[in-house]
Amino acid sequence: PPAPTPGGASDFARAAVEATKVRAGYCVVWGVGSPRLLPELARLTDLHLFVVEPDAGKVDAARRELQAAG
């Protein structure tokens, strides 16, 4: 997985994982949001991420980034 990045998405993902104590299972994300949020959630957890995003361009970019990260 990619290395952690400082700032917004990384901090948000870490706080969400710490607050919920959920590290495995399923996660529904409404919108791609920050380009770093999904990779950071993938890095920090073993969650299966389901992302609901109406913008096909954002979906394609997020999918390519996650695939490149492994």
Side-chain angles (χ1 to χ4, degrees):
T5 56
S10 181
D11 293 343
F12 178 80
R14 187 173 293 106
V17 171
E18 289 175 9
T20 62
K21 307 291 188 232
V22 175
R23 297 195 187 317
Y26 297 89
C27 174
V28 176
V29 180
W30 297 102
V32 169
S34 164
R36 295 298 313 150
L37 177 60
L38 299 176
E40 194 66 7
L41 282 173
R43 187 185 74 76
L44 293 171
T45 69
D46 289 322
L47 290 168
H48 296 274
L49 302 172
F50 290 89
V51 182
V52 179
E53 172 60 63
D55 184 326
K58 287 182 181 180
V59 171
D60 187 51
R63 183 178 291 130
R64 278 188 271 121
E65 182 176 354
L66 288 169
Q67 287 173 336

